[in-house]
Amino acid sequence: MHCTDKTKHKFQDQKGVKILVDARKGKDKEFQALFKQYWPLVRRLWQEYYVADLELDDWYQEAEIVLVRVLKGYRGGSMIKFAGFYKQSLINRLLDLYRARQACKRIPASQLSSLGDEDANLLVDGHHDRPEDIVYCQKCLAAFMQRCSNFERQVIILLHQGASIAEIEEKLGCDERKIRSALTRSRRKLIAELRRKY
């Protein structure tokens, strides 16, 4: 029985290597079959490594690109080694995406400056807003809420009411990743709305 399992495994490995070779030659059907075989791994890594603003559809495309590169670079003949190489390449890509997003958040030291006396007065005296500023903000918020999806609005309202992410998860019955993704999309929409001229 042990020999039969070993023979079966060897046959499956040979079949996998054939798909691998055909996918490397550019055959779309084999490429899709190979990608489908590794889809559970691709999805699991997306869930394990949180990268802000990386939706599953975007990660799907990234994983296909990584597979193309791995196919070009892999020179072994074992599906087990190929799987390990592909997994490590996916992890490396996730880390690259994470670092790229973090780098955008940094402000170069040359652009930083201290607050002067005039700036400090503006920050302290925030209660004397001009009526046109208040109207502008109200219009922006109204337009922003219209641009948000129903789920995004629910998350924003609950957060505004003081709920934590964990409380929002419980109330809406979804995971933290979905909530944080909704907040990120909402933030982008709000910034875009604030930049518009009325």
Side-chain angles (χ1 to χ4, degrees):
M1 185 168 219
H2 180 68
C3 292
T4 308
D5 288 342
K6 206 172 193 179
T7 307
K8 182 180 175 184
H9 178 70
K10 188 175 181 180
F11 175 74
Q12 287 175 339
D13 198 44
Q14 288 173 347
K15 185 179 175 185
V17 170
K18 181 175 178 0
I19 291 174
L20 183 77
V21 170
D22 289 343
R24 187 180 291 147
K25 290 178 182 175
K27 295 184 179 179
D28 190 53
K29 183 179 175 185
E30 283 74 9
F31 178 85
Q32 292 302 324
L34 190 63
F35 187 74
K36 186 177 179 184
Q37 180 180 344
Y38 289 104
W39 173 243
L41 171 68
V42 170
R43 186 177 177 98
R44 192 185 85 232
L45 289 175
W46 176 76
Q47 291 169 336
E48 285 180 17
Y49 292 82
Y50 175 75
V51 178
D53 300 329
L54 183 63
E55 297 295 325
L56 185 56
D57 291 339
D58 297 333
W59 175 235
Y60 181 94
Q61 292 174 349
E62 290 286 343
E64 283 185 324
I65 293 168
V66 170
L67 182 57
V68 169
R69 290 179 182 153
V70 166
L71 284 169
K72 288 181 181 178
Y74 181 70
R75 296 293 172 238
S78 165
M79 286 304 290
I80 294 171
K81 290 179 182 176
F82 175 80
F85 185 46
Y86 184 45
K87 178 181 178 181
Q88 190 57 53
S89 298
L90 288 169
I91 291 170
N92 291 345
R93 183 62 186 144
L94 281 163
L95 294 174
D96 288 345
L97 291 168
Y98 176 78
R99 283 194 282 284
R101 282 167 172 75
Q102 292 301 96
C104 292
K105 293 180 182 178
R106 292 187 203 125
I107 300 172
S110 62
Q111 293 181 4
L112 295 175
S113 62
S114 62
L115 292 175
D117 291 335
E118 187 178 305
D119 295 324
N121 288 336
L122 287 173
L123 289 175
V124 173
D125 194 13
H127 296 292
H128 299 288
D129 292 324
R130 298 178 306 171
E132 57 268 24
D133 290 340
I134 294 170
V135 170
Y136 172 75
C137 286
Q138 288 174 341
K139 282 185 177 181
C140 286
L141 285 173
F144 160 68
M145 291 304 275
Q146 286 179 340
R147 290 180 73 179
C148 289
S149 69
N150 187 38
F151 179 73
E152 291 167 346
R153 278 192 295 273
Q154 288 177 322
V155 170
I156 291 166
I157 290 168
L158 288 170
L159 194 64
H160 181 69
Q161 291 172 346
S164 68
I165 299 292
E167 291 169 332
I168 296 172
E169 278 182 69
E170 187 178 315
K171 181 144 183 139
L172 298 179
C174 58
D175 63 357
E176 178 182 349
R177 182 184 190 95
K178 186 173 180 181
I179 292 167
R180 291 198 183 278
S181 183
L183 286 171
T184 302
R185 288 191 310 272
S186 300
R187 182 175 177 267
R188 270 192 258 127
K189 290 175 184 178
L190 179 59
I191 290 169
E193 201 57 52
L194 289 171
R195 288 184 177 153
R196 287 181 61 196
K197 301 284 186 200
Y198 283 96

